[in-house]
Amino acid sequence: MKKMDNSIKNVYDNVISRDPNQPEFHQAVEEVLDSLGPVIEANPEYIDVVKSMVEPERVIQFRVPWYDDEGVLNVNRGIRVQFNSSIGPYKGGLRFHPSVNLSILKFLGFEQVFKNSLTGLPLGGGKGGSDFDPKGKSDSEVRRFCQSFMSELWRHIGADLDVPAGDIGVGGREIGYLFGMYRKLANEFTGVLTGKGLSYGGSLIRPEATGYGLVYFAREMLATKGKSFEGASVAISGSGNVAQYACEKVLDLGGKPVTMSDSSGFIYDSSGIDREKLSWIKDLKNNRRGRIKEYAEKFENIDYTESKPEPNTNDLWATKVDVALPVDVALPCATQNEINAAEAQLLVDGGVTAVAEGANMPCTPEAVECFLTNGVLFAPGKASNAGGVATSGLEMSQNSIRMNWSREEVDSKLEGIMINIHKNTFETAEKYGFSGNYVAGANIAGFLKVAESSLSQGIL
Ligand code: NDP
Ligand code: 2IT
């Protein structure tokens, strides 16, 4: 808590005392409230919006029972946080991961409100998921789980009400099973989920969109310092949807990706992950559902380092001997709080120029502070990973008009949206006295649209 005035500080204190056991949610709220001082000073009436925005409009929690292949009953928990619908229907992904709880989904839903506002599209914010772990489950088990999950969720969502999509552990396979069950129960075919397969209403470029958008944003940010991806070495964490397509776009722009990871460990390939190796990784992760360790067995001269057992530690950023990673750009694309202050310092020591968040909140507040004080260009996820949800918005539009746009059309709209988000966050930071600080720029620019619409509608 740095520069909050008293009225904002009261809001933050209430958030903590109301839900003292939600650390990830507190972290996301504090980061936003820290930026809003000058906005409230200029528009004191906006404090009512701040007060209401930190409370989700609605939270739904439900039981998800399913039988595994041995005939044993498993009972997971499903949650949907419908955070804010003042500028459009709730929109945001579903996460299936054993760590999922209300704190994590509220942090993600809260971030989503600002991110979706930044896209310029009419999208409110929400998030959901389950503590179900798809790892090691058969296709039939995943299908049974998804059908059970949707057998409750379907009554709370709709194409004009709440439109879920993927996130960690939810990709094309899961969206397919979820969509099928929704269509059956609702007895209608609408764009109720995004990230759908192309044969049943999906949009071209949606799988690529988060990773591509991230690199478009980072490219714009680098350009402000006269730099580019050409010849830059790039550390990427994760090896899922966002990481794979970030890697692909870095290659398109002439950069050299050197790392990828999963929750078991990371690979460092000093010769660079080229297109052939990337397509092997896609097959490994998307079809064979294998571990990144196999990369080190398949290709020559690869360093593989196993993760530490503690949760939320990703050795990639510390490296095995605590020596700085010599990279120009870092793109954390795995999970929240994967880069702490010490790891940020290692990146700074290694000469990093830019860090852009592909994941949601992968850098701790201390890590962000370290980048900002050392003059590293830093893009917060709510701006730099907004390409995924923006393209989900484009999928919704295509579903509404019952048309499909070409790959080129969607990609060029995505690129235009990312360029706009960069411009808007950069200029807003400048205007409110946070020059060069994209965190403040994104928080303020995202807030203003929601604030205006909430006040006009009488808050509610
Ligand atoms: P995926 O499930 O496709 O991939 C996640 C990757 O991150 C996997 O390699 C996974 O390893 C790794 N990972 C997940 N949790 C941990 C952990 N606790 N420690 C170490 N590694 C971990 O998910 P996405 O690529 O879709 O999502 C990645 C991030 O990007 C998330 O923060 C998500 O919220 C964010 N995001 C996603 C968007 C999208 O469109 N999909 C849009 C915007 C943001 P393993 O397989 O071993 O678990
Ligand atoms: O965090 C995110 O923005 C996503 N997981 C994508 C959400 C969406 O609705 O496409």
Side-chain angles (χ1 to χ4, degrees):
M1 189 82 11
K2 292 174 301 231
K3 32 201 166 315
M4 280 186 200
D5 73 24
N6 277 342
S7 57
I8 301 181
K9 174 97 174 52
N10 283 341
V11 173
Y12 183 68
D13 290 343
N14 283 335
V15 167
I16 306 271
S17 61
R18 182 172 262 173
D19 292 302
N21 301 315
Q22 297 185 349
E24 292 87 0
F25 180 54
H26 301 163
Q27 185 183 333
V29 169
E30 180 172 2
E31 188 231 83
V32 168
L33 297 193
D34 259 340
S35 306
L36 295 183
V39 183
I40 301 304
E41 212 171 288
N43 312 79
E45 72 277 17
Y46 282 178
I47 193 65
D48 286 352
V49 181
V50 179
K51 268 194 219 165
S52 63
M53 269 184 94
V54 295
E55 184 67 8
E57 288 176 15
R58 189 178 300 117
V59 176
I60 300 140
Q61 184 186 302
F62 49 97
R63 179 169 76 189
V64 190
W66 58 280
Y67 284 95
D68 65 22
D69 289 345
E70 271 68 57
V72 174
L73 179 73
N74 292 257
V75 180
N76 284 101
R77 176 171 287 177
I79 301 176
R80 184 73 181 165
V81 179
Q82 297 183 330
F83 223 112
N84 195 306
S85 61
S86 67
I87 65 171
Y90 308 107
K91 180 82 196 90
L94 295 172
R95 177 177 291 192
F96 293 168
H97 193 273
S99 64
V100 162
N101 59 34
L102 189 55
S103 174
I104 288 177
L105 294 181
K106 279 177 68 181
F107 119 63
L108 289 163
F110 186 72
E111 291 273 299
Q112 200 81 45
V113 173
F114 299 85
K115 184 195 304 192
N116 293 4
S117 164
L118 286 172
T119 65
L121 302 173
L123 303 170
K127 200 86 187 188
S130 173
D131 55 2
F132 172 74
D133 185 359
K135 248 189 239 115
K137 304 290 189 300
S138 68
D139 271 359
S140 312
E141 289 174 328
V142 170
R143 188 175 61 243
R144 283 196 292 278
F145 172 80
C146 288
Q147 291 179 341
S148 178
F149 183 86
M150 189 52 89
S151 73
E152 174 61 32
L153 186 66
W154 80 278
R155 69 190 80 247
H156 306 290
I157 62 175
D160 292 317
L161 168 62
D162 183 356
V163 182
D167 193 81
I168 291 177
V170 179
R173 174 182 62 170
E174 290 74 18
I175 294 291
Y177 295 149
L178 291 164
F179 182 79
M181 194 63 178
Y182 179 89
R183 183 174 60 75
K184 184 176 176 71
L185 292 169
N187 200 25
E188 62 176 30
F189 193 116
T190 57
V192 69
L193 290 157
T194 58
K196 299 185 292 299
L198 292 177
S199 57
Y200 59 96
S203 173
L204 288 158
I205 297 290
R206 176 60 189 90
E208 293 88 340
T210 310
Y212 278 18
L214 170 68
V215 177
Y216 291 142
F217 190 98
R219 179 194 69 192
E220 295 303 298
M221 194 168 70
L222 285 165
T224 64
K225 300 277 182 219
K227 300 193 186 250
S228 78
F229 272 101
E230 190 63 47
S233 67
V234 182
I236 300 173
S237 64
S239 48
N241 173 269
V242 181
Q244 291 170 20
Y245 290 102
C247 184
E248 185 162 296
K249 190 49 77 178
V250 166
L251 289 169
D252 288 348
L253 299 187
K256 182 171 120 175
V258 290
T259 65
M260 280 219 184
S261 69
D262 59 23
S263 54
S264 310
F266 79 93
I267 54 111
Y268 178 74
D269 182 346
S270 57
S271 65
I273 301 168
D274 60 19
R275 278 179 205 284
E276 197 191 321
K277 290 167 169 170
L278 174 60
S279 103
W280 187 89
I281 290 175
K282 284 184 186 168
D283 180 53
L284 172 78
K285 287 290 171 185
N286 308 343
N287 303 326
R288 293 187 281 131
R289 300 186 188 270
R291 310 305 296 158
I292 200 71
K293 183 180 185 183
E294 294 170 44
Y295 184 95
E297 291 151 12
K298 166 82 182 165
F299 301 105
E300 311 232 304
N301 300 321
I302 311 297
D303 285 340
Y304 174 73
T305 308
E306 221 152 85
S307 284
K308 295 178 196 139
E310 304 91 69
N312 282 343
T313 56
N314 188 330
D315 278 24
L316 193 160
W317 303 113
T319 81
K320 55 185 159 189
V321 283
D322 287 352
V323 171
L325 260 182
V327 292
D328 302 305
V329 178
L331 304 175
C333 298
T335 193
Q336 63 273 359
N337 291 328
E338 55 174 294
I339 302 186
N340 63 25
E343 292 160 342
Q345 188 58 50
L346 279 173
L347 282 166
V348 169
D349 295 345
V352 77
T353 306
V355 178
E357 295 186 326
N360 286 306
M361 209 168 76
C363 300
T364 66
E366 298 77 23
V368 175
E369 195 58 35
C370 173
F371 294 134
L372 294 178
T373 53
N374 283 285
V376 174
L377 292 164
F378 176 77
K382 61 171 78 71
S384 51
N385 73 33
V389 74
T391 308
S392 280
L394 301 177
E395 183 172 331
M396 288 163 70
S397 302
Q398 293 170 80
N399 292 161
S400 295
I401 58 172
R402 296 192 156 80
M403 293 273 288
N404 293 312
W405 297 328
S406 70
R407 204 180 158 80
E408 292 69 29
E409 241 172 316
V410 180
D411 194 20
S412 106
K413 287 187 205 301
L414 165 65
E415 187 174 6
I417 289 170
M418 297 315 295
I419 292 171
N420 273 338
I421 297 176
H422 177 270
K423 184 167 183 288
N424 188 11
T425 50
F426 184 88
E427 290 176 357
T428 304
E430 197 81 14
K431 180 171 166 195
Y432 284 89
F434 293 101
S435 186
N437 181 337
Y438 289 93
V439 176
N443 289 337
I444 296 172
F447 173 78
L448 287 173
K449 182 176 176 190
V450 179
E452 234 173 82
S453 82
S454 297
L455 273 187
S456 312
Q457 294 173 44
I459 303 220
L460 302 178

